[in-house]
Structure formats: structure tokens, C-alpha cells
Amino acid sequence: MLKQLLFKTDKRCLYKFIYNLGIKGVLSFNRFQNRLKKGEFFPAFHFISVTDDCNLNCQGCWVMGKKKNSRMSAEQLDQIITETKAQGSYFFGILGGEPLLYKPLFEVFEKHSDCYFQLFTNGTLLTADVAEKLRKCANVTPLISFEGDEEVADVRRGGTNVWQRTHEAIDHATNAGLVTGVAMSVCKSNLELAMSPEFINSLIKKGVTYLWYYIYRPVGENATVELSLSREEIEQLRSHMVEARTKYDLAIIDAYWDGEGNGLCPAASGLSHHINASGYIEPCPVIQFATDRVGEKPLAEIYRSSAFLRDLKVEIPKKTSGCIIMEDPQWLVDFVEKYEAADTSGRDDEAERLRAMEKVCSHGSGKPIPEKSWAYKFAKKRAFFGLGAYG
């Protein structure tokens, strides 16, 4: 992986990766920890959905089915980034919809050249020209979704030729010298592929730097609960990741476990929160309820005063170390109704959907499987979440 970074990455992209993400990321994590010690709170970083617009229709997407799509204004996005930088944090996850449909995107990347952005994209719009623009910005790592083989990808993503277009996006990104990641939302239909040595080695051959595994979460208009992993499958995936970190020449990232293999909820820990395209501050992208909105108060004041966000961090760990929306969606509805939180799904039926949803296993359901790699153990404690290991 180091050889790939040092010799195949564009030099400006490499510098921004090391300085903006690495060095400044460690410092921002230290500030986050110091705030917690003093009883203060501001997330270590934000996920920001800049638009609800998308050119695909994925299973389990929290954006689909909205009565009206929202697009964040460039001014509001600039405000979020500026106020977050004032707290000493410089890393942002940029989501959609499909963020490459957001017209002011590259202007934002260029203006905030002191930050580092992770661009969550389905890849179908990541052309060679787009990759070149990202190379010139130098402070962006594209994280390209890869959801299955030629047959499964079209079903999962609700599109055509998605597998081929995703491969082309990876080639465009790596050929431009970008620090390139591939993400997979692991479910029953792609679990075998996710753990396949052939699949992982094909990414290494293409020059991919990191592979980020998520666990499929049944949310949105087309939740498709039957794709959710069983407890045994989750443990199988976790074991695979622990072993993969010791033998493959790319970084294996997860968002759900600490170094000892205990489940972790980034929202409940306060590491990250999500701001949707309408400006609502949500605990995470799949918990689509909020009591606070960007612009009503400064962000720092919102995080100091929001009883909803504060108490959620206290109450979720009492229920689970995993994902509350999977393990006890009915409890979540009771909680948000107690705080009179607004439905921010854009569908106006999220509480009703969760009331009717069956409970499924999450990463908090299985037995702890500790990391074997000392580097990952260290990263998960100190080095900016192990390039995303906590986020």
C-alpha cells in the first residue's frame, strides 16, 4: 500500500493526503478527545449530503422516494465547513444522492484547500475529465461504491451496466493518480464477492488504496430488509476483515468496530454527525430525524444546547453497541417522538416505517473479534480513526 501511495499517487494529492488528512486529522482527533474530557462536544467530523439528486435508484438508499429533492446552497455548505474548521476539524465526508450532480462541488473543494474531502460516489459520472479536476484540487479521495458482480450490481443499484461503469470510474481515478477507495455495502447478495481474494486482488491490481466495508442497513423507500446479514454472516465478515488486514496490500477500513472488536456507533460516540441536503443535523445518515437545522444558530451552539443529540448519545449505548435502527427501530421512534423531532426523510412516513420494520442483526450482535494487526489497533485509537475506521 505504501509503495502504491508513494510511487503511483500524484505528488500534490499525496501531500494533501499526508498533511490535510494525516497530520491535521490526528490533531483534530486530539482536539475532539480534549473537548470530551472537558465535558464539551463538537463532532470530530461531519458527513454532509449536498444534494438528494441521483442517477440511480439503490436498494436501501435513504434518499429515494422524497416528495421533493433538496440541494444545499453553496453558501450553507461553506458555512458548515468554515464553522467546523473553527473547531479544529478539517475532514468532511461528502454524500448525496450523487454528489457529482452538485454543481458548486469543485468550487467548494478549491476554496477549502486546507481541508480533506472524501467523496462518496456511485462512480457512474466519474469520467476522465472529472478525475482530472479532482487531481487538480488534490484534496479529495473518491470513495467509489461497488455493490456486486455484473448481475447483482444492476439489481442493487437500480441501473444498467453499473458494474462496467464502476470499473471505468476506478480506472479513471487511479490513472489520474488519486488516492482511490472502493466501498461495499455488504449484504446477502454480495457477501461472497466482498470476501473473495480475486475481487480484492483485482482492486489492488487497479491501484486502489483502500477498501471500505459497510454493513447493509435497510432504510429508505426500498429498504429490502431481506438483504440484511445474519449474526453468523456479520461475524464471518468481521473475521474476514481482521485476517485481510494482515495479508493484502491495501487498507481494509470498517466503520463499526474498535480495536478489540467491540461494536461502535459513530453517532452515539459523537465522532460524527450528518447534515442532510435540507440543512437538518441528524445523528447519522440513516436516522432521519432532527430537532436542529444549520443557520438557526452557530453549529457550536447547536451542539452545546441540543438535548436530542446529547441524550441520544447517552441512551443508545444502553440499548446496543451496534445500530439502533436495525436492532430496535421501535425504541428509536419512541425516543424521537419524546423529543418532538421532525421527520427529515422527505417522505413523511419514517416513524410509521420503523414501527412496522422487523428487527435485524447489526454489528453489535456478534461476538467481539479483536484486531490482529498492531497498526490497525493503533490507528483506531489515535490516528484519525484508522483512515475512517471509526467513521
Side-chain angles (χ1 to χ4, degrees):
M1 183 184 68
L2 288 175
K3 185 184 293 185
Q4 166 68 27
L5 276 173
L6 292 175
F7 297 106
K8 294 188 178 180
T9 304
D10 175 86
K11 299 308 178 187
R12 285 187 68 246
C13 292
L14 179 61
Y15 169 77
K16 294 282 188 178
F17 177 79
I18 293 172
Y19 183 68
N20 287 17
L21 176 64
I23 296 173
K24 294 171 80 171
V26 170
L27 294 176
S28 70
F29 186 33
N30 290 340
R31 295 186 187 101
F32 168 74
Q33 290 181 314
N34 289 335
R35 285 195 293 269
L36 292 182
K37 290 176 182 177
K38 294 186 290 185
E40 302 171 357
F41 174 69
F42 193 96
F45 63 95
H46 282 108
F47 289 122
I48 308 171
S49 289
V50 293
T51 181
D52 292 330
D53 297 330
C54 190
N55 59 327
L56 296 179
N57 185 14
C58 300
Q59 294 169 319
C61 175
W62 61 82
V63 172
M64 291 296 104
K66 293 196 173 197
K67 293 181 178 180
K68 183 180 180 181
N69 284 357
S70 295
R71 299 164 199 87
M72 184 175 288
S73 70
E75 294 76 17
Q76 187 171 73
L77 179 56
D78 180 72
Q79 176 191 349
I80 294 167
I81 295 172
T82 300
E83 291 189 28
T84 303
K85 288 197 296 186
Q87 299 295 319
S89 294
Y90 295 85
F91 178 79
F92 300 88
I94 303 298
L95 299 80
E98 171 49 55
L100 286 175
L101 289 170
Y102 183 68
K103 292 182 179 179
L105 187 65
F106 291 96
E107 295 175 14
V108 173
F109 292 158
E110 292 168 359
K111 180 175 182 179
H112 295 281
S113 60
D114 55 340
C115 295
Y116 202 80
F117 299 93
Q118 188 170 44
L119 180 68
F120 292 69
T121 174
N122 62 44
T124 59
L125 303 178
L126 207 168
T127 63
D129 287 342
V130 169
E132 178 61 17
K133 289 181 180 179
L134 292 173
R135 186 194 68 79
K136 290 179 179 178
C137 292
N139 60 340
V140 185
T141 172
L143 181 60
I144 302 167
S145 297
F146 197 109
E147 296 302 326
D149 58 23
E150 291 172 271
E151 181 178 350
V152 171
D154 283 359
V155 175
R156 285 277 294 110
R157 305 315 296 268
T160 57
N161 296 322
V162 175
W163 183 86
Q164 178 182 348
R165 293 153 73 189
T166 302
H167 271 287
E168 291 172 356
I170 295 170
D171 289 337
H172 293 322
T174 55
N175 289 341
L178 304 179
V179 178
T180 304
V182 167
M184 181 175 283
S185 178
V186 185
C187 61
K188 288 187 182 297
S189 65
N190 63 21
L191 176 62
E192 183 177 349
L193 176 67
M195 299 186 297
S196 163
E198 292 78 16
F199 168 65
I200 299 173
N201 284 320
S202 73
L203 299 181
I204 295 171
K205 186 176 180 180
K206 282 179 174 289
V208 171
T209 306
Y210 62 101
L211 172 58
W212 194 334
Y213 289 110
Y214 299 86
I215 289 177
Y216 177 81
R217 292 170 291 182
V219 297
E221 181 186 44
N222 185 18
T224 322
V225 177
E226 60 271 20
L227 288 178
S228 302
L229 298 177
S230 67
R231 178 181 289 106
E232 293 74 21
E233 288 168 333
I234 291 171
E235 290 179 357
Q236 185 181 7
L237 176 64
R238 171 64 182 167
S239 295
H240 159 73
M241 288 191 291
V242 169
E243 294 296 330
R245 285 172 173 146
T246 66
K247 62 183 182 181
Y248 289 112
D249 294 331
L250 82 172
I252 303 291
I253 309 300
D254 70 76
Y256 301 114
W257 291 277
D258 65 17
E260 300 307 316
N262 300 305
L264 175 74
C265 171
S269 67
L271 286 163
S272 64
H273 283 314
H274 175 247
I275 302 176
N276 75 6
S278 299
Y280 285 105
I281 302 173
E282 302 167 337
C284 74
V286 299
I287 299 181
Q288 296 183 294
F289 298 95
T291 58
D292 307 282
R293 197 172 188 177
V294 174
E296 295 175 345
K297 303 175 185 177
L299 278 177
E301 186 176 341
I302 288 175
Y303 286 123
R304 280 196 301 268
S305 62
S306 176
F308 173 69
L309 294 173
R310 181 190 65 236
D311 293 352
L312 196 69
K313 289 194 288 291
V314 173
E315 296 301 326
I316 285 180
K318 295 178 183 179
K319 300 291 296 182
T320 177
S321 63
C323 179
I324 191 66
I325 206 168
M326 298 172 73
E327 294 191 20
D328 202 340
Q330 293 78 29
W331 176 90
L332 179 61
V333 175
D334 290 338
F335 180 89
V336 300
E337 288 181 348
K338 174 183 176 182
Y339 287 83
E340 299 182 342
D343 181 340
T344 54
S345 69
R347 296 179 297 272
D348 298 335
D349 64 349
E350 186 65 359
E352 180 182 351
R353 185 189 74 81
L354 292 176
R355 286 276 187 210
M357 178 178 154
E358 63 180 275
K359 297 179 181 180
V360 296
C361 293
S362 83
H363 58 284
S365 305
K367 64 183 179 183
I369 302 175
E371 296 290 347
K372 292 184 177 181
S373 166
W374 68 266
Y376 279 90
K377 282 187 176 182
F378 175 83
K380 288 194 170 192
K381 289 182 179 179
R382 301 300 304 170
F384 194 47
F385 328 122
L387 302 181
Y390 278 170

